[in-house]
Amino acid sequence: MNNLLTDIAGVRVGHADDAALASGVTAVIFERPAVAAMDVRGGGPGTREGALLDLANTVEMIDAIALAGGSAFGLEAGGGVQAWLAEQGRGFAVRGAIIPIVPGAICFDLLNGGNKQWGRFAPYRDLGYAAAAAAAGTFAVGSAGAGLGAQTANFKGGLGSASAKTQGGVKVAALAVVNALGAVTVGDGPWFWAAPFEIDGEYGARGFPPSFTPDMLKMRIKGGPDATSVENTTLAVVVTDATLTKPQARRLAIIAQTGFARAIYPVHAPMDGDVVFAAATGEKPIDPLVGLTELGMVAANVVARAIARGVYTAAALPFPGALPAWRDRFG
């Protein structure tokens, strides 16, 4: 176990990003199609193929997931991932046609200081292709891929990952892109809201503060109390090696959203675009009631850890007025 999404066998992750653009793409590639579903809690989501993942609809399995910065422009990243998969002969077969199934989601990073004057066409399709081609068994966390341009209310955001096992040995792992409206830390101190779930000092082992003050509990959001724009999102991909149906994968995504509430304060706001994708590779059967409940419980913990780790490992953007990284203050 490397504390990464790729601890699930058959899953690879690749990044492609541009330092001058201050944005990027992360591709999650499944070596075999995976059962998948999605849960949306934020009030301003940006998704691709979201309707396909609805439980009422026919296709149950996907080939990849594309996460990107760039707001709505970043939805083109899925086309790049799709192009790479098509070259590999991967996809949903419709008689003689092969169609790679690539849901995705985006976060808003258009105002982070990077150069977004890209001309007629945004670069996200090409970045998506490059991210898919780079997919491997290990990958960077922090300011990488779709997390390169991410920010929170008070510190630089980023991309984090974490993994765990249930008592029965079923694996579950998460990858999170943390561009939240709220804060991942308690106040402006070194403590993470996800402190109770930390394993092996993966985000600094600071625990909670000795006591909570009113200042720690006040609202910290991007733009302050007059914030009006939809500039925020936390995206998560949760993958398990359990055997799940599409409705069970949806339930896993719903329970895993609890991890957002354990790690971000406030969360699921009208100005957030929070999305969780849940996918199952189908290696291990589980009990559909108690087993799925335990899996969801562990998944929520893993999501919270991935969110905290994304902020803990991030590096500040090199632009005037950029938010500090957690490590700049407390590293």
Side-chain angles (χ1 to χ4, degrees):
M1 300 282 281
N2 295 311
N3 211 24
L4 295 172
L5 189 73
T6 48
D7 287 336
I8 308 300
V11 179
R12 294 180 290 126
V13 173
H15 299 315
D17 47 52
D18 184 321
L21 182 71
S23 187
V25 172
T26 295
V28 177
I29 305 293
F30 299 100
E31 292 179 356
R32 294 184 298 163
V35 172
M38 178 180 72
D39 185 59
V40 179
R41 295 293 171 93
T47 60
R48 166 193 162 102
E49 295 279 36
L52 177 143
L53 295 176
D54 187 279
L55 301 187
N57 293 329
T58 302
V59 174
E60 293 193 349
M61 294 188 171
I62 65 172
D63 299 294
I65 297 171
L67 307 178
S71 189
F73 296 102
L75 291 173
E76 293 186 3
V81 176
Q82 190 176 49
W84 183 85
L85 286 165
E87 290 180 349
Q88 317 308 310
R90 291 282 313 278
F92 182 73
V94 182
R95 289 189 286 174
I98 300 295
I99 307 165
I101 306 300
V102 186
I106 48 84
C107 64
F108 184 103
D109 59 5
L110 299 180
L111 301 176
N112 61 10
N115 179 12
K116 307 302 193 294
Q117 302 302 311
W118 46 61
R120 176 172 292 182
F121 297 112
Y124 291 98
R125 182 180 175 88
D126 289 338
L127 288 170
Y129 183 95
T138 60
F139 57 94
V141 295
S143 296
L148 176 61
Q151 303 180 86
T152 71
N154 54 352
F155 291 112
K156 174 70 174 68
L159 181 144
S161 194
S163 64
K165 295 180 182 179
T166 68
Q167 288 189 344
V170 176
K171 292 181 181 178
V172 61
L175 179 152
V177 177
V178 189
N179 190 57
L181 174 75
V184 176
T185 58
V186 179
D188 290 318
W191 315 281
F192 288 94
W193 288 108
F197 310 101
E198 185 174 10
I199 296 176
D200 296 332
E202 61 194 337
Y203 34 93
R206 297 299 184 99
F208 272 152
S211 62
F212 284 80
T213 67
D215 180 70
M216 291 174 180
L217 298 177
K218 75 178 184 181
M219 185 170 69
R220 287 170 170 80
I221 60 175
K222 290 178 190 172
D226 296 323
T228 57
S229 58
V230 182
E231 302 177 11
N232 323 281
T233 296
T234 299
L235 311 174
V237 176
V238 174
V239 184
T240 178
D241 59 0
T243 301
L244 301 179
T245 64
K246 192 175 180 182
Q248 289 172 330
R250 172 69 191 283
R251 179 55 53 185
L252 178 62
I254 291 169
I255 303 173
Q257 282 271 16
T258 309
F260 283 41
R262 294 172 180 171
I264 304 168
Y265 182 87
V267 73
H268 299 151
M271 297 166 286
D272 275 319
D274 300 330
V275 175
V276 171
F277 296 97
T281 61
E283 300 295 326
K284 299 174 182 176
I286 64 168
D287 178 83
L289 299 178
V290 175
L292 182 58
T293 300
E294 182 192 16
L295 183 63
M297 176 188 73
V298 176
N301 296 346
V302 167
V303 167
R305 291 165 50 209
I307 290 169
R309 197 172 175 216
V311 172
Y312 174 72
T313 55
L317 293 171
F319 307 121
L323 281 174
W326 185 94
R327 289 188 172 187
D328 293 337
R329 291 271 181 90
F330 310 112

